[in-house]
Amino acid sequence: MAKIEQSLEQAHYWLQMAVDLSVKAVTQDRGGPFGAVLVCNNEWVASGQNQVLELNDPTAHAEMQAIRAASQKLARFDLSDCVLYSSCQPCPMCLSAIYWARIPRLVYANSSEQVQAIGFDDAWIAENLGKSLALQPIQSQRIPLETATEALQLWQQKTPKRQY
């Protein structure tokens, strides 16, 4: 994994931009107090605000929006040369997306404890994600279907394929 260099001054600049977006998300009634900025080679690529309320989409977190916008703009899903600046420590969903996008560096301002204190408590999600599916509070049931493996077999046989 490549180490991404940045000065403290640069980090403050991009992080302040994420914080400003978090304030706008609240004042414009778009969603919760969260903003994110994605930077590649010390250049702005994309931003995101929490838009859960505006879009009625529980996945429209600031980090997710920034990752989606950056991937579209750069026309690639691998963001391994980027840095994500977030107004807050990412939730488990956003952290997973950061891993999937292969973003090697995350810089954030507010801690999860700070947002828990104002009612955004995702600690129970992280706690349950560590459990096997059978022990999680979501009721789940597996129904094996012979036809379900067709897509898996097609993927396995596909050449060439772009692994991600």
Side-chain angles (χ1 to χ4, degrees):
M1 186 179 305
K3 183 176 180 183
I4 298 182
E5 298 295 328
Q6 66 181 15
S7 71
L8 190 56
E9 185 177 313
Q10 290 168 324
H12 279 266
Y13 175 81
W14 298 117
L15 192 56
Q16 186 60 55
M17 186 181 287
V19 168
D20 292 345
L21 287 167
S22 72
V23 171
K24 284 183 182 179
V26 175
T27 59
Q28 295 173 352
D29 204 28
R30 298 182 113 188
F34 308 104
V37 175
L38 238 150
V39 174
C40 292
N41 301 316
N42 292 316
E43 292 187 21
W44 175 90
V45 174
S47 300
Q49 293 174 282
N50 184 289
Q51 293 178 271
V52 169
L53 299 176
E54 179 182 31
L55 301 176
N56 289 313
D57 180 352
T59 69
H61 291 198
E63 297 90 345
M64 300 290 285
Q65 299 297 74
I67 290 168
R68 288 174 181 140
S71 294
Q72 291 298 305
K73 182 177 182 179
L74 298 173
R76 57 189 167 96
F77 56 82
D78 184 335
L79 303 177
S80 59
D81 58 344
C82 298
V83 178
L84 180 66
Y85 296 88
S86 179
S87 63
C88 184
Q89 184 176 342
C91 74
M93 175 184 66
C94 293
L95 187 58
S96 295
I98 291 165
Y99 277 109
W100 275 111
R102 292 171 175 71
I103 298 170
R105 184 166 172 78
L106 164 69
V107 180
Y108 63 93
N110 294 315
S111 70
S112 58
E113 292 80 15
Q114 287 174 289
V115 294
Q116 285 173 10
I118 62 165
F120 290 91
D121 187 2
D122 59 22
W124 68 276
I125 297 172
E127 177 186 324
N128 281 300
L129 287 176
K131 298 176 183 176
S132 73
L133 193 54
L135 298 175
Q136 292 185 24
I138 296 172
Q139 186 180 45
S140 62
Q141 176 184 11
R142 179 172 183 241
I143 301 176
L145 294 176
E146 287 181 30
T147 56
T149 61
E150 180 181 354
L152 302 179
Q153 292 167 354
L154 286 171
W155 177 260
Q156 188 174 25
Q157 296 165 2
K158 183 178 175 69
T159 55
K161 62 181 153 201
R162 292 177 57 201
Q163 195 69 40
Y164 60 94

